[in-house]
Amino acid sequence: MKTVLLAGAAGVMLLAAGVVHGVWSDRWNDGADLGAAVAQLERVPLTVGEWQGKRTEHVSDPRSGLAGSATFLFQHKKSGKMVTVFLACGRPGPVSVHTPDVCYAGAGFEVERAAPFSSSRPGLAGQSFFTARLVRKRATEQTAQRIFWAWHGARGWEVSDNPRVSFAGRGALFKMYVIREVTGPSESLENDPCVELMETLLPALEKTVFG
């Protein structure tokens, strides 16, 4: 009897593993929703408030598992401040695991511990992001950047300590990086140009991309 129970338990575990792998690998989906998600990237507005953007050349890594991605450079018309925005979409598995602390560390950056960020600004209220500083030191120079990132879930932009589990039930998942170069760690987060851009950009994305 014990042997039968053990065999049955093993069978259930194998079946569960097969289902999980099938969802992860997108085995049972025709991919139509991914095609629609990639098309949504083409609807990103290039003029938002005082910011003017342009789509820059972006080479996708086929090993990333992303269905589509796009990079945009936004410049403030008056101050000249520049912010880079990276948007990507795909199945929750690949989209959730490639986080900046992994990607940038692989490119030689030291990544500080991610901290949650939220703001009461009208365009950001109710949205959640992670933020961190990225520093790369070379013999003749040092590059420092500030990055904000989040995933577009059921309630707008969200973060999770375990995004692979939190967003597993979604079909197509989006993620966004908002990045700029910084001069030092003491710069105010609330007045960061990334935050200024997001205050206008996020509501625009909800209308044009996700609406």
Side-chain angles (χ1 to χ4, degrees):
M1 183 64 177
K2 184 177 180 180
T3 303
V4 174
L5 290 175
L6 288 175
V12 170
M13 292 177 64
L14 287 172
L15 178 60
V19 170
V20 170
H21 184 267
V23 172
W24 174 269
S25 61
D26 201 26
R27 184 187 306 164
W28 302 301
N29 199 303
D30 62 6
D33 58 334
L34 284 185
V38 173
Q40 287 174 250
L41 296 177
E42 302 298 324
R43 303 204 298 264
V44 174
L46 297 181
T47 301
V48 286
E50 293 296 316
W51 295 84
Q52 183 62 47
K54 64 178 180 179
R55 185 163 179 164
T56 63
E57 184 177 355
H58 175 75
V59 180
S60 298
D61 184 350
R63 296 171 299 177
S64 69
L66 300 176
S69 59
T71 303
F72 305 86
L73 182 63
F74 285 89
Q75 183 172 26
H76 194 272
K77 297 176 183 177
K78 294 181 180 179
S79 68
K81 298 173 183 176
M82 304 187 75
V83 175
T84 298
V85 175
F86 171 76
L87 275 168
C89 63
R91 292 295 178 225
V95 172
S96 63
V97 296
H98 292 282
T99 53
D101 52 338
V102 175
C103 299
Y104 279 84
F109 282 86
E110 296 178 13
V111 185
E112 71 176 17
R113 184 177 179 84
F117 174 81
S118 59
S119 173
S120 59
R121 291 183 180 224
L124 290 172
Q127 312 295 318
S128 300
F129 282 79
F130 280 135
T131 187
R133 287 181 75 249
L134 316 166
V135 180
R136 180 166 61 187
K137 298 178 181 179
R138 291 179 173 174
T140 58
E141 65 178 358
Q142 175 175 300
T143 301
Q145 298 179 340
R146 165 69 62 183
I147 183 168
F148 296 80
W149 74 95
W151 294 266
H152 196 272
R155 297 175 296 277
W157 294 100
E158 304 175 67
V159 296
S160 171
D161 292 328
N162 193 346
R164 183 173 178 178
V165 173
S166 298
F167 303 118
R170 292 186 57 83
L173 183 68
F174 287 81
K175 70 175 176 180
M176 177 169 64
Y177 297 169
V178 184
I179 316 159
R180 78 172 184 95
E181 291 193 6
V182 297
T183 56
S186 60
E187 295 186 24
S188 168
L189 276 181
E190 187 65 27
N191 297 318
D192 192 287
C194 292
V195 176
E196 294 179 14
L197 171 61
M198 289 192 293
E199 182 180 13
T200 307
L201 179 62
L202 298 194
L205 292 178
E206 289 301 321
K207 293 180 180 179
T208 61
V209 176
F210 304 112

PDB file of all heavy atoms in Angstrom, residues 136-154:
ATOM      1  N   ARG A 136      29.862  51.705 -12.488  1.00  0.00           N
ATOM      2  CA  ARG A 136      30.898  50.920 -13.164  1.00  0.00           C
ATOM      3  C   ARG A 136      32.195  51.726 -13.132  1.00  0.00           C
ATOM      4  O   ARG A 136      32.248  52.848 -13.629  1.00  0.00           O
ATOM      5  CB  ARG A 136      30.505  50.607 -14.607  1.00  0.00           C
ATOM      6  CG  ARG A 136      31.563  49.782 -15.355  1.00  0.00           C
ATOM      7  CD  ARG A 136      31.025  49.201 -16.649  1.00  0.00           C
ATOM      8  NE  ARG A 136      30.595  50.238 -17.563  1.00  0.00           N
ATOM      9  CZ  ARG A 136      29.955  49.975 -18.719  1.00  0.00           C
ATOM     10  NH1 ARG A 136      29.666  48.726 -19.042  1.00  0.00           N
ATOM     11  NH2 ARG A 136      29.599  50.953 -19.502  1.00  0.00           N
ATOM     12  N   LYS A 137      33.226  51.129 -12.545  1.00  0.00           N
ATOM     13  CA  LYS A 137      34.518  51.794 -12.407  1.00  0.00           C
ATOM     14  C   LYS A 137      35.510  51.195 -13.399  1.00  0.00           C
ATOM     15  O   LYS A 137      35.645  49.984 -13.506  1.00  0.00           O
ATOM     16  CB  LYS A 137      35.043  51.640 -10.984  1.00  0.00           C
ATOM     17  CG  LYS A 137      34.144  52.267  -9.924  1.00  0.00           C
ATOM     18  CD  LYS A 137      34.697  52.047  -8.528  1.00  0.00           C
ATOM     19  CE  LYS A 137      33.786  52.651  -7.470  1.00  0.00           C
ATOM     20  NZ  LYS A 137      34.295  52.434  -6.094  1.00  0.00           N
ATOM     21  N   ARG A 138      36.162  52.094 -14.113  1.00  0.00           N
ATOM     22  CA  ARG A 138      37.231  51.690 -15.029  1.00  0.00           C
ATOM     23  C   ARG A 138      38.492  52.474 -14.682  1.00  0.00           C
ATOM     24  O   ARG A 138      38.470  53.371 -13.850  1.00  0.00           O
ATOM     25  CB  ARG A 138      36.795  51.916 -16.474  1.00  0.00           C
ATOM     26  CG  ARG A 138      35.682  50.968 -16.911  1.00  0.00           C
ATOM     27  CD  ARG A 138      35.245  51.228 -18.337  1.00  0.00           C
ATOM     28  NE  ARG A 138      34.297  50.210 -18.794  1.00  0.00           N
ATOM     29  CZ  ARG A 138      33.667  50.253 -19.960  1.00  0.00           C
ATOM     30  NH1 ARG A 138      33.874  51.267 -20.794  1.00  0.00           N
ATOM     31  NH2 ARG A 138      32.834  49.276 -20.295  1.00  0.00           N
ATOM     32  N   ALA A 139      39.557  52.154 -15.377  1.00  0.00           N
ATOM     33  CA  ALA A 139      40.840  52.768 -15.043  1.00  0.00           C
ATOM     34  C   ALA A 139      40.802  54.287 -15.149  1.00  0.00           C
ATOM     35  O   ALA A 139      41.401  54.996 -14.335  1.00  0.00           O
ATOM     36  CB  ALA A 139      41.927  52.201 -15.950  1.00  0.00           C
ATOM     37  N   THR A 140      40.094  54.817 -16.138  1.00  0.00           N
ATOM     38  CA  THR A 140      40.121  56.260 -16.388  1.00  0.00           C
ATOM     39  C   THR A 140      38.788  56.955 -16.139  1.00  0.00           C
ATOM     40  O   THR A 140      38.705  58.171 -16.271  1.00  0.00           O
ATOM     41  CB  THR A 140      40.532  56.525 -17.850  1.00  0.00           C
ATOM     42  OG1 THR A 140      39.607  55.858 -18.733  1.00  0.00           O
ATOM     43  CG2 THR A 140      41.935  56.014 -18.114  1.00  0.00           C
ATOM     44  N   GLU A 141      37.745  56.219 -15.781  1.00  0.00           N
ATOM     45  CA  GLU A 141      36.446  56.865 -15.611  1.00  0.00           C
ATOM     46  C   GLU A 141      35.531  56.032 -14.709  1.00  0.00           C
ATOM     47  O   GLU A 141      35.780  54.848 -14.473  1.00  0.00           O
ATOM     48  CB  GLU A 141      35.765  57.075 -16.964  1.00  0.00           C
ATOM     49  CG  GLU A 141      35.408  55.785 -17.680  1.00  0.00           C
ATOM     50  CD  GLU A 141      34.679  56.018 -18.996  1.00  0.00           C
ATOM     51  OE1 GLU A 141      34.418  57.179 -19.338  1.00  0.00           O
ATOM     52  OE2 GLU A 141      34.384  55.019 -19.667  1.00  0.00           O
ATOM     53  N   GLN A 142      34.512  56.692 -14.225  1.00  0.00           N
ATOM     54  CA  GLN A 142      33.481  56.015 -13.445  1.00  0.00           C
ATOM     55  C   GLN A 142      32.122  56.450 -13.967  1.00  0.00           C
ATOM     56  O   GLN A 142      31.855  57.633 -14.133  1.00  0.00           O
ATOM     57  CB  GLN A 142      33.608  56.354 -11.956  1.00  0.00           C
ATOM     58  CG  GLN A 142      32.479  55.759 -11.103  1.00  0.00           C
ATOM     59  CD  GLN A 142      32.677  55.998  -9.634  1.00  0.00           C
ATOM     60  OE1 GLN A 142      33.673  55.570  -9.049  1.00  0.00           O
ATOM     61  NE2 GLN A 142      31.736  56.693  -9.009  1.00  0.00           N
ATOM     62  N   THR A 143      31.251  55.477 -14.217  1.00  0.00           N
ATOM     63  CA  THR A 143      29.910  55.753 -14.708  1.00  0.00           C
ATOM     64  C   THR A 143      28.900  55.381 -13.635  1.00  0.00           C
ATOM     65  O   THR A 143      28.943  54.271 -13.098  1.00  0.00           O
ATOM     66  CB  THR A 143      29.606  54.943 -15.985  1.00  0.00           C
ATOM     67  OG1 THR A 143      30.562  55.280 -16.996  1.00  0.00           O
ATOM     68  CG2 THR A 143      28.209  55.247 -16.505  1.00  0.00           C
ATOM     69  N   ALA A 144      28.010  56.310 -13.313  1.00  0.00           N
ATOM     70  CA  ALA A 144      26.976  56.055 -12.318  1.00  0.00           C
ATOM     71  C   ALA A 144      25.617  56.353 -12.932  1.00  0.00           C
ATOM     72  O   ALA A 144      25.438  57.374 -13.615  1.00  0.00           O
ATOM     73  CB  ALA A 144      27.190  56.904 -11.077  1.00  0.00           C
ATOM     74  N   GLN A 145      24.673  55.474 -12.714  1.00  0.00           N
ATOM     75  CA  GLN A 145      23.328  55.636 -13.248  1.00  0.00           C
ATOM     76  C   GLN A 145      22.299  55.363 -12.159  1.00  0.00           C
ATOM     77  O   GLN A 145      22.553  54.627 -11.218  1.00  0.00           O
ATOM     78  CB  GLN A 145      23.086  54.685 -14.427  1.00  0.00           C
ATOM     79  CG  GLN A 145      23.993  54.923 -15.619  1.00  0.00           C
ATOM     80  CD  GLN A 145      23.718  53.942 -16.758  1.00  0.00           C
ATOM     81  OE1 GLN A 145      23.139  52.879 -16.556  1.00  0.00           O
ATOM     82  NE2 GLN A 145      24.138  54.299 -17.948  1.00  0.00           N
ATOM     83  N   ARG A 146      21.137  55.962 -12.328  1.00  0.00           N
ATOM     84  CA  ARG A 146      19.978  55.663 -11.493  1.00  0.00           C
ATOM     85  C   ARG A 146      18.963  54.950 -12.359  1.00  0.00           C
ATOM     86  O   ARG A 146      18.695  55.374 -13.473  1.00  0.00           O
ATOM     87  CB  ARG A 146      19.390  56.953 -10.923  1.00  0.00           C
ATOM     88  CG  ARG A 146      17.984  56.835 -10.329  1.00  0.00           C
ATOM     89  CD  ARG A 146      17.969  56.015  -9.056  1.00  0.00           C
ATOM     90  NE  ARG A 146      18.781  56.597  -7.997  1.00  0.00           N
ATOM     91  CZ  ARG A 146      18.963  56.010  -6.813  1.00  0.00           C
ATOM     92  NH1 ARG A 146      18.398  54.822  -6.563  1.00  0.00           N
ATOM     93  NH2 ARG A 146      19.725  56.581  -5.886  1.00  0.00           N
ATOM     94  N   ILE A 147      18.416  53.854 -11.863  1.00  0.00           N
ATOM     95  CA  ILE A 147      17.433  53.098 -12.631  1.00  0.00           C
ATOM     96  C   ILE A 147      16.175  52.845 -11.795  1.00  0.00           C
ATOM     97  O   ILE A 147      16.258  52.601 -10.589  1.00  0.00           O
ATOM     98  CB  ILE A 147      18.025  51.759 -13.134  1.00  0.00           C
ATOM     99  CG1 ILE A 147      17.001  51.018 -14.005  1.00  0.00           C
ATOM    100  CG2 ILE A 147      18.492  50.888 -11.979  1.00  0.00           C
ATOM    101  CD1 ILE A 147      17.596  49.838 -14.764  1.00  0.00           C
ATOM    102  N   PHE A 148      15.037  52.959 -12.439  1.00  0.00           N
ATOM    103  CA  PHE A 148      13.753  52.587 -11.869  1.00  0.00           C
ATOM    104  C   PHE A 148      13.198  51.455 -12.731  1.00  0.00           C
ATOM    105  O   PHE A 148      13.332  51.503 -13.961  1.00  0.00           O
ATOM    106  CB  PHE A 148      12.768  53.758 -11.888  1.00  0.00           C
ATOM    107  CG  PHE A 148      13.178  54.936 -11.048  1.00  0.00           C
ATOM    108  CD1 PHE A 148      14.115  55.849 -11.510  1.00  0.00           C
ATOM    109  CD2 PHE A 148      12.615  55.134  -9.799  1.00  0.00           C
ATOM    110  CE1 PHE A 148      14.494  56.943 -10.734  1.00  0.00           C
ATOM    111  CE2 PHE A 148      12.987  56.224  -9.013  1.00  0.00           C
ATOM    112  CZ  PHE A 148      13.928  57.135  -9.482  1.00  0.00           C
ATOM    113  N   TRP A 149      12.569  50.450 -12.114  1.00  0.00           N
ATOM    114  CA  TRP A 149      11.975  49.391 -12.928  1.00  0.00           C
ATOM    115  C   TRP A 149      10.751  48.800 -12.258  1.00  0.00           C
ATOM    116  O   TRP A 149      10.587  48.849 -11.044  1.00  0.00           O
ATOM    117  CB  TRP A 149      12.994  48.311 -13.275  1.00  0.00           C
ATOM    118  CG  TRP A 149      13.389  47.363 -12.180  1.00  0.00           C
ATOM    119  CD1 TRP A 149      12.868  46.118 -11.906  1.00  0.00           C
ATOM    120  CD2 TRP A 149      14.437  47.541 -11.204  1.00  0.00           C
ATOM    121  NE1 TRP A 149      13.508  45.528 -10.845  1.00  0.00           N
ATOM    122  CE2 TRP A 149      14.464  46.380 -10.393  1.00  0.00           C
ATOM    123  CE3 TRP A 149      15.339  48.577 -10.949  1.00  0.00           C
ATOM    124  CZ2 TRP A 149      15.377  46.226  -9.344  1.00  0.00           C
ATOM    125  CZ3 TRP A 149      16.235  48.431  -9.897  1.00  0.00           C
ATOM    126  CH2 TRP A 149      16.253  47.269  -9.115  1.00  0.00           C
ATOM    127  N   ALA A 150       9.856  48.255 -13.092  1.00  0.00           N
ATOM    128  CA  ALA A 150       8.626  47.638 -12.604  1.00  0.00           C
ATOM    129  C   ALA A 150       8.031  46.797 -13.713  1.00  0.00           C
ATOM    130  O   ALA A 150       8.477  46.844 -14.874  1.00  0.00           O
ATOM    131  CB  ALA A 150       7.632  48.712 -12.135  1.00  0.00           C
ATOM    132  N   TRP A 151       7.008  46.027 -13.359  1.00  0.00           N
ATOM    133  CA  TRP A 151       6.264  45.213 -14.330  1.00  0.00           C
ATOM    134  C   TRP A 151       4.834  45.739 -14.417  1.00  0.00           C
ATOM    135  O   TRP A 151       4.276  46.222 -13.424  1.00  0.00           O
ATOM    136  CB  TRP A 151       6.238  43.750 -13.896  1.00  0.00           C
ATOM    137  CG  TRP A 151       7.578  43.098 -13.899  1.00  0.00           C
ATOM    138  CD1 TRP A 151       8.147  42.369 -14.916  1.00  0.00           C
ATOM    139  CD2 TRP A 151       8.538  43.080 -12.830  1.00  0.00           C
ATOM    140  NE1 TRP A 151       9.391  41.918 -14.540  1.00  0.00           N
ATOM    141  CE2 TRP A 151       9.661  42.345 -13.268  1.00  0.00           C
ATOM    142  CE3 TRP A 151       8.553  43.632 -11.538  1.00  0.00           C
ATOM    143  CZ2 TRP A 151      10.784  42.136 -12.475  1.00  0.00           C
ATOM    144  CZ3 TRP A 151       9.675  43.441 -10.742  1.00  0.00           C
ATOM    145  CH2 TRP A 151      10.771  42.693 -11.213  1.00  0.00           C
ATOM    146  N   HIS A 152       4.249  45.637 -15.590  1.00  0.00           N
ATOM    147  CA  HIS A 152       2.874  46.095 -15.741  1.00  0.00           C
ATOM    148  C   HIS A 152       1.947  44.925 -15.459  1.00  0.00           C
ATOM    149  O   HIS A 152       1.784  44.019 -16.277  1.00  0.00           O
ATOM    150  CB  HIS A 152       2.620  46.641 -17.154  1.00  0.00           C
ATOM    151  CG  HIS A 152       1.375  47.467 -17.252  1.00  0.00           C
ATOM    152  ND1 HIS A 152       0.150  46.925 -17.527  1.00  0.00           N
ATOM    153  CD2 HIS A 152       1.163  48.792 -17.084  1.00  0.00           C
ATOM    154  CE1 HIS A 152      -0.764  47.894 -17.540  1.00  0.00           C
ATOM    155  NE2 HIS A 152      -0.183  49.024 -17.261  1.00  0.00           N
ATOM    156  N   GLY A 153       1.361  44.925 -14.267  1.00  0.00           N
ATOM    157  CA  GLY A 153       0.491  43.852 -13.846  1.00  0.00           C
ATOM    158  C   GLY A 153      -0.970  44.233 -13.958  1.00  0.00           C
ATOM    159  O   GLY A 153      -1.341  45.119 -14.732  1.00  0.00           O
ATOM    160  N   ALA A 154      -1.800  43.614 -13.156  1.00  0.00           N
ATOM    161  CA  ALA A 154      -3.246  43.843 -13.226  1.00  0.00           C
ATOM    162  C   ALA A 154      -3.642  45.203 -12.673  1.00  0.00           C
ATOM    163  O   ALA A 154      -4.728  45.694 -12.960  1.00  0.00           O
ATOM    164  CB  ALA A 154      -3.977  42.737 -12.462  1.00  0.00           C
TER     165      ALA A 154
END
